[in-house]
Amino acid sequence: QVQLVESAGGLVQAGGSLSLSCAASGSISGTNTMGWYRQAPGKQREFVASITNGGGRNYADSVKGRFTISRDNAKNTVYLQMNSLKPEDTAIYYCKLFRLDRAYWGQGTQVTVSS
């Protein structure tokens, strides 16, 4: 069993910054990929960024240069630093862990960017 607990999101003005974290616990030893997805109202959930436990990173084009994903393997925690936020970044952000062909999701945290 894997549990993912995300930090609280928040409300920020456009151009501001916000950081999210997600701590994983349970059966997560070995190779895994952790990442962030988001879902805006009326839209499908979309990929934001991911990072392997070896440090390989991927980003959605919409967040490249603004968001940075990192992880602390000792703490089984992944972070998302979001800078230069835009109103279109408003969404529920979900943490995801992918391991042994299974995906686990956090409960989601709201990020709202006001214009």
Side-chain angles (χ1 to χ4, degrees):
Q1 190 73 7
V2 174
Q3 296 82 40
L4 300 172
V5 179
E6 297 148 347
S7 60
L11 171 65
V12 63
Q13 288 189 333
S17 298
L18 197 63
S19 180
L20 301 178
S21 66
C22 172
S25 61
S27 302
I28 56 174
S29 62
T31 301
N32 62 68
T33 298
M34 296 186 76
W36 293 91
Y37 285 67
R38 67 187 182 186
Q39 187 166 17
K43 295 187 176 181
Q44 291 188 334
R45 192 173 297 189
E46 64 176 8
F47 169 77
V48 176
S50 66
I51 184 169
T52 67
N53 52 356
R57 295 172 171 85
N58 279 302
Y59 294 94
D61 287 343
S62 59
V63 306
K64 280 181 182 176
R66 300 189 298 121
F67 290 11
T68 301
I69 190 169
S70 61
R71 65 186 287 170
D72 184 333
N73 289 331
K75 296 181 179 179
N76 295 318
T77 299
V78 64
Y79 306 92
L80 186 68
Q81 177 64 43
M82 302 181 289
N83 299 327
S84 302
L85 282 160
K86 305 174 181 179
E88 50 264 43
D89 294 318
T90 295
I92 298 174
Y93 283 70
Y94 295 91
C95 175
K96 177 185 177 183
L97 185 147
F98 187 78
R99 176 181 178 270
L100 297 178
D101 296 328
R102 289 194 64 181
Y104 304 88
W105 294 91
Q107 77 281 6
T109 187
Q110 178 70 47
V111 171
T112 303
V113 184
S114 62
S115 57

